[in-house]
Amino acid sequence: MDSDVSALRSIAQTYFDAAYEMDAEKFASVFHPSSFVTKIGEDGDVSVTPIAAWLAAVRNMRAPKQQGFERDDQILSIDVEKELAVVKVKFQVPPRVFTDMLSCLKVHGTWKIVQKVMTSNT
């Protein structure tokens, strides 16, 4: 269990680094290729985006690092049950503060994010 929590903390750190740098390849390294990003869309309905499309959008975003913003990354919780884990994180990409629930599965011995459910506020 300790090694799983350590591995999940490492995923969270890579995730935070990727968000700060807006590095799609770094994000891709912690997501399973068949994962999705889910949120409430502009119309108030559930929006589900395949990871490849989400990563394409990331490639066109300006990085907080480039803009000189400070980091504020927090792992709020890690819950592990066998090969399933949920990592709750909070971080900023100004002007927004994001809270993400990262559902992870241990696939062939390696933890990967398989579902990102997100919300944000300004």
Side-chain angles (χ1 to χ4, degrees):
M1 179 80 94
D2 287 345
S3 65
D4 289 328
V5 170
S6 178
L8 291 161
R9 283 186 175 282
S10 179
I11 282 177
Q13 188 58 56
T14 300
Y15 186 84
F16 292 144
D17 292 345
Y20 188 62
E21 299 164 12
M22 273 307 139
D23 186 327
E25 281 60 45
K26 213 171 260 189
F27 271 127
S29 75
V30 294
F31 278 91
H32 190 275
S34 64
S35 58
F36 290 89
V37 175
T38 304
K39 66 179 182 174
I40 297 296
E42 298 290 327
D43 59 3
D45 287 334
V46 173
S47 166
V48 180
T49 305
I51 195 63
W54 184 79
L55 291 171
V58 165
R59 288 182 181 96
N60 294 317
M61 293 179 187
R62 230 170 131 211
K65 181 178 182 178
Q66 289 175 326
Q67 299 175 65
F69 289 116
E70 294 293 316
R71 291 178 72 157
D72 185 14
D73 307 330
Q74 301 170 54
I75 297 174
L76 301 176
S77 65
I78 297 177
D79 189 9
V80 181
E81 184 66 36
K82 298 167 71 175
E83 74 283 351
L84 169 67
V86 177
V87 180
K88 184 177 180 182
V89 297
K90 190 173 208 169
F91 61 99
Q92 61 184 7
V93 178
R96 296 176 123 28
V97 175
F98 290 87
T99 302
D100 292 357
M101 302 288 277
L102 306 173
S103 296
C104 303
L105 291 174
K106 197 171 192 179
V107 182
H108 302 297
T110 302
W111 286 101
K112 291 289 183 180
I113 301 168
V114 295
Q115 179 74 37
K116 166 184 162 123
V117 181
M118 61 180 274
T119 190
S120 67
N121 58 42
T122 51

